Amino acid sequence: MERLLDRSPSLSHLLAMTVLLLSTVPSISASAPSKYACDYSNRLCEWKARYMFGATVLDDKAFFHGGILSNEATIPVNSSGFEVLDLKTMAPMIVQIDDKNNSVLSSRYRHQLAAWKNTILAVGGQIDDDFGVSRHIINVLVLNLNQRLWEVKKQFIQRSGASGQGDVMIDASVVSGDQLLVTFLQLDPTNFGRSFFSMNLNNQEVDYNFNVAYGAGEKVLDWPLLSLMTLGKDGDFPHILLQSKRLLSKPDNDTAWFEITGKGEIGVDGPLPFTASTAHWTLPGGGRSKVLSLKLLRVLDKPTLLIWAVTKADFADSRGQTVNAVSLWDVSMNGVMGKRNVSLRLSRIAMTLPSNMTSAAGLQSIDLPLVGKLSVGAKDVMVMPYIGNVDLVSELDYTNVDMQQWPGKGFIIRGSSMTDPHCQPIVTWQPFVVAVNLAASAKPAIRALSNSTFCSSRLAQLRAAAIVGDAAAMETGAKLHRVDSSQGPLLMILSSERKTRPGGQLLQLDIHAPLRGALVDLDGHSVQNLSVPLLGDYQHPVGIASCTTYLNGTAVYLQTGGWYHNDDDSTQQAQPGVIAVPINLSQPVQPMLKVTGSSEPKGTAYSSLACSAQGEIYMYGGLVIDRYKATPINHDEEGKPDSSHAEPVWASSGNLQAMRLSGSTVAPTLSKSWKLVPSASQNRTDSSTSIPSPRSGHTLTYLPQETVASMGLSSGALLLFGGSNSSNPSLISTLADMTAAAEALADVDFDRSAWLFDLKAHKWSKLQAQGLNTPPGLMHHSAAVVGTQVMVWGGLRLVSDTHLGKAMQASTDLYILDFSRATPRWRVAAVDNTARGGSIIGFPNSGIAALPEIGVIAVMHRSVSDSGANVATPCSSMLPCRS
């Protein structure tokens, strides 16, 4: 049997491009969400429930990556980013990591993470190729957290086994000093076995490499799910203890211990006999526990076996209550090599209480793996907060619950639990984290985060946070809006909803559902969910323009334009007119009103609205239907067209229109102020013109006079930035196909200039701004004013592709245009990367609003590992800006 895998300097033969597989299997979470926004009480609402993930702890921070989505059958988590928990503050966050190879770590599962010095190692794992075929990965990656980049530390050749999945799978690893200790399985039926190697992480040399077992049914091969621990050294060779558990169909106490000796052809001894003692606890019998996870760890530098089990506990007034319990067992072999007895001594018990209990008073007994039923009282156990109903996610699951050592403190637990149906009507898997600090004081400190932790405090009502559901916010062009109220500044978003198409995971706009949204009070940590029933002719258009103003002291949301598919002839049509939604803070259902008036805009797509607080409305650009052309739709037997329909031809507009909102909040009207239409000689796209070129996908922002006073303006102004000359309303839908995108973008140009319109002089001028950090040309971005600063966030930027020509990428940058001096200046804001959003074309980080009263600049971006939209606060006390 070949012991050492051949090394290769290339990854190209091993790593495959990873895609999100679209399964026809309905998921648990396929139902519509009960709320548009999730809960402030659940601080992990941006995290994903997952199993088979990698986990480690470094510098009082827990890192979690990859795995399989618990709510999506067998779909991997498609992200190279980390979920990170600050164990000192229990603050969860998401840290993005660049994956330039697009497959170095994205969509990986069944891998291990390990901390080494100030880096993180990723060892082994599996990925799924474009056809859903799983492939085992046998490499070692190292992450430099300062640069947030992965590099390959060690690469091995992976031959294709009889299964076609590769003939080697890494199944356990641990770092001891500068040594990486790894066990792996040879999966080829003709060459089946388990092997071991030890690699020096400084020079990547393999110091030890030998068979642990080979041949079906021999020694360790019967014992999967290994856990490794070093107990010292025998000369230069690390003294290694292996702990394992049979498959779940076997009895729960069917565990085994092995000792890697490094001696002989098969350098392992075992199975070793072991004893389990329970100190002063008695053993009246029993056995009603189900092991979900077990791990060998060093807890406060002591070799410890941790076992997580779903089990039963008896209380004075209720018998057989289901609880989750973690038992800690001191592991001893007396440090003598070759001693063939493992001694376990029960040292601590931690347990969750049922959701209907608030204390462990009256506890009489609990069932534990290995030993059965123990007589215990409340003083004998550490009580963990209620975290939901924990179990295995699927038959494939053996790592729903993972436990990691917290160096110098204790240990952490990460897993997924089913939400309590009394607390949330739609039962789904939700992530949880428990941190146990045994060194905190005489009494251990246990803290937990979970969607279910609030249940034990009997809260009657959920308090929601600014994490909006699976809405089509980007698809429709919805933005964040600021709404001033008596309770302070609020954030608002309104958007169409999406639904799952029958038989699959693909999403489409739900044309029968009302607009959904939320008013978010970031300062008061509360939300009011909104629903807006539709007018009869509202078509859920894509590429809308919107803004918020005030009418008779009431906030009013205005929306115009967008395009939709006409079901009658499958052509693209523009949504005409303007709708208004008066915002009544005391009502969960808001009316949708048609705004009347002789000047109501004709249908446009991807235009931009700018509103003053006094009801002045400005609209610029967008795509309009220029004409119609006959397009064949049927052909006769000779291939000649015998019928056709009128297909719209879109063109970019350069018109600027001013309107005023009047009337009442029951019957709002628009009155025309003026309209600026460029002449044919001005309507050009070159840079020599004195007015901006026609465009779509731009932002138009109203600047109060105090914002531009330093420039000498005596009235307010309009700032126009970004957009492109594309006349294709379906441009974004082509971007997923790189070749189709390159063709669609061949003649597309973005305007990097900023334009200012003086509302008093009625004159455009190209802004001559200073600063080295000018933004690139952007499209579908967003902008907001705070004081003398205009913030430009997200959007799509045009980039050059070496092979295809042009491509588009989602921007995760925040630019600031400062008007505090006579000459404005551009700079890049130092936003914490945890709140910058994902580089996902389908949702280019499309909303920004300022709430300076509470020190918050809120941005909306696509969650890194979720299809929802996240309203983050990158410059607040929760997520401070970088210096």
Side-chain angles (χ1 to χ4, degrees), residues 47 50 53-57 62-66 81-85 87 111 113 402 404 412-415 432-433:
W47 285 22
R50 60 183 75 196
F53 53 87
T56 192
V57 176
F63 293 81
F64 308 101
H65 173 268
F82 281 85
E83 293 173 349
V84 181
L85 181 69
L87 295 173
H111 55 305
L113 298 182
D402 185 76
Q404 294 288 327
I412 67 163
I413 306 166
R414 163 71 190 269
F432 73 84
V433 181

Side-chain angles (χ1 to χ4, degrees), residues 740-794:
E743 295 176 357
L745 295 170
D747 298 323
V748 172
D749 291 311
F750 283 23
D751 191 350
R752 297 186 59 180
S753 302
W755 293 82
L756 201 68
F757 186 81
D758 187 329
L759 287 171
K760 184 176 182 180
H762 277 226
K763 181 180 180 181
W764 283 109
S765 62
K766 183 180 290 188
L767 199 63
Q768 303 299 320
Q770 298 177 341
L772 300 177
N773 297 313
T774 58
L778 295 172
M779 190 176 184
H780 304 307
H781 53 287
S782 55
V785 181
V786 52
T788 59
Q789 297 179 339
V790 177
M791 298 166 293
V792 177
W793 161 253

Side-chain angles (χ1 to χ4, degrees), residues 374-387:
L374 300 184
S375 294
V376 295
K379 61 180 177 55
D380 298 317
V381 300
M382 302 181 294
V383 176
M384 297 186 293
Y386 177 72
I387 52 173

